[in-house]
């Protein structure tokens, strides 16, 4: 993934030369999303066992949208079997996240992962904060219609974390939200880079103001960050956690990078899921069960430290 410091330097240059607003908006969308149909590695091997999913819907502006997704998991066998909407980050298509999708399945979820417009086989257009919001909501509605009795969770990595927080702040039927390696806002990300001292904030059109939205999430929230994340500073993940007002937990994975936290922190994930979401360990060949109370009932709050267990990092997608 290209370093987002590129956003800071080009935004700053644009401010200085006084570029037009429409051009600036399009450039920001390109820089932030880096939309493509590219993946990495052996895509066929990575996505083996995953099923294609197609979601058709009409966007508020009247555009007919087709989203491509991947489904990994058995048909839920009881209403307690958890399902997850997986929202990936920038640059690579959904297949590039296959290792992380597979790992979330191993942790007990049946997973629907989607490509936003502009990525992979989904409708070809330049994505925006608004279009990604619409795509995530359409996928969530599809999941709710397909599995209305299941506990449904939202997961977002990096930019997908901001999209996931936006979705979780808007819906009220999620059982929990998990974000990994994500941030408080685009302006805060840019501020953390070399050119961040320049007055770029008024010119940002794709704001992704997660810090304000996280306060509206009504379900338990798990915020995970790698201590060695050089792309999104771990302090931004910590600020998100601190701003959340409901049941929540922050997990800092020692040695985890922006791309390896999910594998390095697998044991910490398991402990956090059991503690925050009341998920049972899965027996081989069987889906895990979430046994916590339905959304809306109270459980103890607080951010409880999870014992750290470090494993050798494995390569992951975006």
């Amino acid at each position: 993934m290209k370093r987002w410091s590129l956003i800071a330097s080009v935004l700053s240059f644009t401010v200085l030369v006084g570029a037009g607003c429409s051009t600036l908006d399009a450039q920001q969308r390109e820089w932030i999303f880096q939309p493509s149909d590219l993946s990495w590695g052996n895509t066929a091997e990575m996505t083996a066992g995953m099923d294609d999913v197609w979601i058709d819907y009409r966007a508020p502006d009247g555009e007919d949208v087709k989203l491509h997704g991947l489904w990994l998991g058995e048909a839920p066998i009881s209403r307690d079997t958890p399902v997850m909407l997986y929202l990936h980050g920038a640059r690579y298509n959904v297949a590039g996240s296959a290792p992380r999708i597979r790992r979330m399945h191993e942790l007990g979820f049946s997973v629907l992962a989607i490509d936003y417009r502009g990525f992979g086989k989904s409708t070809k257009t330049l994505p925006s904060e608004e279009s990604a919001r619409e795509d995530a909501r359409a996928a969530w509605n599809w999941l709710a219609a397909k599995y209305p009795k299941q506990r449904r969770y939202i997961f977002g990595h990096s930019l997908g974390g901001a999209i996931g927080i936006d979705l979780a702040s808007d819906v009220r039927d999620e059982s929990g939200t998990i974000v990994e390696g994500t941030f408080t806002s685009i302006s805060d990300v840019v501020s953390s880079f070399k050119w961040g001292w320049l007055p770029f904030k008024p010119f940002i059109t794709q704001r992704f103001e997660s810090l304000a939205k996280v306060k509206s999430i009504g379900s338990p929230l798990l915020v995970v960050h790698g201590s060695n994340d050089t792309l999104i500073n771990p302090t931004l993940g910590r600020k998100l956690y601190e701003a959340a007002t409901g049941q929540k937990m922050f997990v800092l994975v020692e040695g985890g990078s922006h791309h390896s936290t999910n594998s390095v922190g697998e044991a910490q994930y398991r402990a956090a899921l059991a503690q925050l979401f009341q998920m049972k360990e899965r027996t081989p060949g069987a889906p895990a069960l979430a046994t916590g109370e339905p959304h809306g009932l109270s459980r103890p709050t607080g951010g409880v430290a999870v014992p750290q267990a470090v494993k050798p990092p494995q390569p992951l997608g975006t």
Side-chain angles (χ1 to χ4, degrees):
M1 180 177 181
K2 299 176 183 177
R3 288 188 56 84
W4 281 12
S5 56
L6 175 64
I7 301 173
S9 59
V10 182
L11 271 178
S12 301
F13 175 78
T14 306
V15 169
L16 294 176
V17 300
C21 293
S22 61
T23 300
L24 178 58
D25 175 68
Q27 289 178 335
Q28 285 183 47
R29 291 157 64 186
E30 181 67 41
W31 295 328
I32 290 170
F33 284 93
Q34 302 173 54
S36 75
D37 59 0
L38 299 176
S39 185
W40 58 272
N42 187 330
T43 301
E45 180 179 340
M46 291 194 305
T47 59
M50 300 184 186
D51 297 321
D52 289 311
V53 171
W54 297 97
I55 299 172
D56 296 294
Y57 79 100
R58 176 158 291 183
D61 65 359
E63 179 184 13
D64 289 324
V65 178
K66 180 182 288 291
L67 302 179
H68 174 250
L70 294 173
W71 170 263
L72 179 62
E74 307 82 3
I77 59 175
S78 81
R79 66 179 304 156
D80 287 326
T81 305
V83 293
M84 169 182 285
L85 173 61
Y86 180 105
L87 301 167
H88 67 70
R91 191 177 185 184
Y92 292 119
N93 65 22
V94 68
S97 290
R100 193 179 290 105
I101 294 167
R102 199 173 299 281
R103 188 163 289 106
M104 298 313 295
H105 176 57
E106 292 169 355
L107 289 171
F109 298 95
S110 290
V111 182
L112 169 67
I114 64 158
D115 264 331
Y116 322 109
R117 275 173 277 179
F119 287 84
K121 302 174 185 176
S122 294
T123 295
K124 301 299 182 186
T125 189
L126 180 61
S128 67
E129 180 177 4
E130 183 61 29
S131 71
R133 174 186 296 121
E134 294 167 0
D135 294 346
R137 185 57 185 264
W140 184 255
N141 291 343
W142 182 94
L143 198 64
K146 186 77 172 179
Y147 303 108
K149 297 181 179 180
Q150 315 310 129
R151 300 188 188 281
R152 298 183 298 279
Y153 293 79
I154 299 167
F155 176 93
H157 175 253
S158 192
L159 181 62
I163 298 168
I165 287 172
D166 179 87
L167 176 64
S169 70
D170 187 49
V171 300
R172 289 294 177 266
D173 57 346
E174 83 286 12
S175 293
T177 303
I178 307 167
V179 294
E180 179 187 319
T182 195
F183 49 84
T184 48
S185 68
I186 288 293
S187 63
D188 286 344
V189 174
V190 179
S191 294
S192 69
F193 293 137
K194 180 179 179 180
W195 299 97
W197 57 272
L198 288 168
F200 57 83
K201 189 171 182 178
F203 297 88
I204 295 178
T205 63
Q206 307 296 300
R207 307 189 69 85
F208 289 97
E209 297 282 3
S210 296
L211 191 65
K213 295 174 183 176
V214 76
K215 301 174 184 178
S216 300
I217 295 179
S219 61
L221 173 68
L222 174 60
V223 180
V224 183
H225 221 109
S227 66
N228 292 354
D229 191 334
T230 58
L231 186 62
I232 306 296
N233 195 297
T235 60
L236 299 184
R238 169 65 75 170
K239 287 180 181 179
L240 270 180
Y241 160 76
E242 292 173 348
T245 57
Q247 301 169 56
K248 58 185 179 179
M249 181 178 294
F250 180 79
V251 175
L252 182 67
V253 177
E254 290 295 335
S257 71
H258 190 68
H259 303 289
S260 70
T261 292
N262 194 261
S263 57
V264 174
E266 184 175 354
Q268 291 173 261
Y269 257 103
R270 289 188 183 278
L273 293 175
Q275 187 166 342
L276 186 62
F277 299 142
Q278 306 289 296
M279 287 186 65
K280 291 182 178 180
E281 287 286 339
R282 181 175 64 173
T283 56
L289 299 180
T291 59
E293 300 88 343
H295 174 64
L297 300 184
S298 72
R299 293 202 297 270
T301 61
V304 182
V306 179
Q308 295 174 347
V310 177
K311 291 188 175 183
Q314 301 174 28
L316 291 177
T318 55

